[in-house]
Amino acid sequence: MRVLLIGADTAVGLALQSFIVRWGRHEVVPLSTSACRWKSERQAKKAARRASCEVIIDTRVVSALDAREELHELDVERCHWLAKACQRSDIRYLYLSSARVYSGSHDRPYTEFDQPDNSESVGQLLGRAESLVKDTCDGHLILRLGPIFSARGDNSLTYLLDQFAAGGSVTLDNNLSGCPVDAGDAARVIAAIVDQISTGADAWGVYNYASSDATHCYEFAEALLACASQYSAIAESSVELLAPEEVGDPLNRALECSRILNTFAIKQVPWRGFVADAVKQYFELQQQE
C-alpha cells in the first residue's frame, strides 16, 4: 500500500517511517511539515494527487500541539481540504487528533462516544477539525492520542530535559492527569492500523489510544529526572521540582481504549517502559549536535 505521510519530520512521522521501512509492507511518500503549509485547497489536492496514494496519515495537528505551537483556523481548514481530496479520490484519511478535545471534567477515562467538550480555543479548533473530517470523508479514521513524548523535536520530554540541564527550580502542574504516549508506541499503533486497512478492514470512525497508566506532569518529570542522572552531569539534587502554589480543580484526560483493542487487537502499554530509552536517545542526539 502506498501511504502519504504528512508531517514526516515530526516525532511521530519519523518513528512511523522507521516502523514501516523495517516491516517492508508499505511504501511511504514523505511530506515535511513546511511542505504542507498550503495556502489553498488546490495545493492540498495537488499534493494528494501527486502522491498516488491509498492512505493519507496526517500528523500535523497533534504534533503542533505537543510542540506547544498555537493552532490556527488555517490548520483546521487544511484538514477539510485533505478530507475533500480523499473523498474525491477514494483515499483513506487517517487523521491524528488529541485527548485535548476533552475538558478533563470527567472523573473516568473518556470513550470515543463522549462528545468533545473542551471550551478553550484549542479544544474548539480540534473539535471542528474532527467534525469536518467525519462529515466530509467517508473513509476516515480519527485516532485520538494522549500527549506524545519523544527524544526528537519539541515535546514534553525534550522541554523538561532542557529545563533540567539549566538547573534550578521547575514548577510543574500536578492538577491535570493523562496518559502520555511514546512516539514509537504511537507509530506501532498507526502501522498496525495501516496493515489491517491494507487487508480490507472496514473499520472507520473514531478511536482512542493512550498508554495504560495515567500520570501527571510532576510524576512524569520525576521519572525523567531519575533517568537523566544516568546519562549526564544532571543530578537529581541539582533540580528542584515544585508544584504550583495555587491548585485548581483536578482534571482528567485519560482515554478508554477498549474499542481499538476489540477492533484492531491493539493493546495499551505503560509509558514508563519507554522513558529510559527516550532519555538515552535524547542525550545521544545532544552529543551528535
Side-chain angles (χ1 to χ4, degrees):
M1 179 172 278
R2 192 170 169 89
V3 177
L4 174 60
L5 179 56
I6 297 176
D9 54 344
T10 65
V12 173
L14 290 167
L16 189 55
Q17 287 182 84
S18 177
F19 255 88
I20 292 178
V21 168
R22 188 187 316 154
W23 291 356
R25 292 193 281 268
H26 310 290
E27 180 183 359
V28 175
V29 180
L31 195 65
S32 69
T33 305
S34 60
C36 61
R37 293 196 176 107
W38 307 297
K39 300 298 183 183
S40 69
E41 182 179 346
R42 182 183 63 83
Q43 292 176 317
K45 181 180 177 182
K46 188 176 181 180
R49 186 176 64 249
R50 280 183 173 177
S52 300
C53 61
E54 294 142 288
V55 176
I56 290 178
I57 302 174
D58 187 357
T59 75
R60 295 172 306 112
V61 171
V62 73
S63 297
L65 289 178
D66 291 319
R68 304 186 178 204
E69 296 176 11
E70 188 175 352
L71 195 62
H72 300 282
E73 187 64 38
L74 183 55
D75 297 306
V76 173
E77 195 60 30
R78 288 168 181 147
C79 295
H80 194 199
W81 296 341
L82 285 170
K84 286 196 281 186
C86 288
Q87 181 69 10
R88 290 191 198 101
S89 303
D90 195 27
I91 300 170
R92 306 312 184 209
Y93 187 17
L94 204 169
Y95 167 67
L96 304 187
S97 188
S98 167
R100 289 179 68 180
V101 296
Y102 299 122
S103 64
S105 59
H106 287 185
D107 58 1
R108 58 164 176 80
Y110 283 86
T111 76
E112 293 86 349
F113 305 104
D114 288 314
Q115 291 300 311
D117 63 347
N118 187 349
S119 61
E120 297 175 350
S121 60
V122 65
Q124 293 292 305
L125 289 170
L126 283 169
R128 174 168 153 72
E130 287 191 5
S131 293
L132 287 170
V133 171
K134 285 188 285 188
D135 294 343
T136 305
C137 179
D138 294 334
H140 69 269
L141 194 152
I142 296 171
L143 180 61
R144 292 174 182 153
L145 295 166
I148 301 292
F149 67 91
S150 171
R152 298 176 181 273
D154 296 325
N155 56 81
S156 57
L157 183 142
T158 56
Y159 171 78
L160 286 169
L161 291 178
D162 288 346
Q163 294 295 304
F164 295 164
S169 300
V170 180
T171 302
L172 296 160
D173 185 5
N174 60 1
N175 187 49
L176 173 63
S177 63
C179 303
V181 181
D182 175 72
D185 189 33
R188 170 188 69 90
V189 171
I190 297 163
I193 290 172
V194 171
D195 270 357
Q196 295 186 54
I197 290 173
S198 71
T199 61
D202 188 18
W204 311 109
V206 181
Y207 294 86
N208 290 341
Y209 182 77
S211 61
S212 57
D213 44 346
T215 187
H216 48 69
C217 291
Y218 195 95
E219 185 178 39
F220 183 71
E222 285 184 319
L224 295 187
L225 185 56
C227 291
S229 61
Q230 303 175 45
Y231 301 108
S232 77
I234 298 173
E236 293 184 58
S237 58
S238 67
V239 179
E240 185 179 13
L241 301 180
L242 302 173
E245 294 182 1
E246 296 184 7
V247 180
D249 295 331
L251 298 174
N252 164 52
R253 288 201 182 110
L255 298 176
E256 205 282 332
C257 302
S258 60
R259 189 175 188 222
I260 200 168
L261 172 63
N262 295 334
T263 305
F264 297 106
I266 293 173
K267 296 181 179 180
Q268 294 171 272
V269 293
W271 59 267
R272 288 183 181 274
F274 297 94
V275 167
D277 286 343
V279 171
K280 180 180 179 181
Q281 186 182 17
Y282 167 86
F283 286 109
E284 289 174 347
L285 292 171
Q286 292 290 306
Q287 291 177 351
Q288 292 173 15
E289 293 174 0

